[in-house]
Amino acid sequence: NGSIEDEITEHQKQLRFYYKEIYKLEEVIKEKEKKICQLCDHEWITRREPIPYGEMETFCIKCNLIK
């Protein structure tokens, strides 16, 4: 019985490790997306969402930054 509990604890540790790694990678991606947007020579377009009564949205067609 203790062995199963130890296995569960080990799996929980692994999950926490991977959640931290995922968080770090998400932060790296965000920083790189910011850099892309800063370097972009924006080309803005405005369009309506393709659903009935969709909202208008303005974004750059080059870097996908939303205004």
Side-chain angles (χ1 to χ4, degrees), residues 1-11:
N1 197 11
S3 157
I4 293 173
E5 290 172 353
D6 292 342
E7 287 180 30
I8 291 170
T9 301
E10 186 58 34
H11 292 316

Side-chain angles (χ1 to χ4, degrees), residues 18-29:
Y18 288 121
Y19 287 144
K20 287 178 188 177
E21 290 300 307
I22 289 169
Y23 177 79
K24 289 177 192 176
L25 288 172
E26 287 173 337
E27 291 300 309
V28 168
I29 289 169

Side-chain angles (χ1 to χ4, degrees), residues 36-58:
I36 287 171
C37 290
Q38 291 169 349
L39 298 172
C40 183
D41 183 26
H42 300 298
E43 191 173 325
W44 299 103
I45 65 167
T46 300
R47 70 174 182 197
R48 185 174 301 280
E49 290 178 305
I51 57 173
Y53 309 105
E55 294 184 28
M56 296 296 284
E57 55 185 8
T58 301

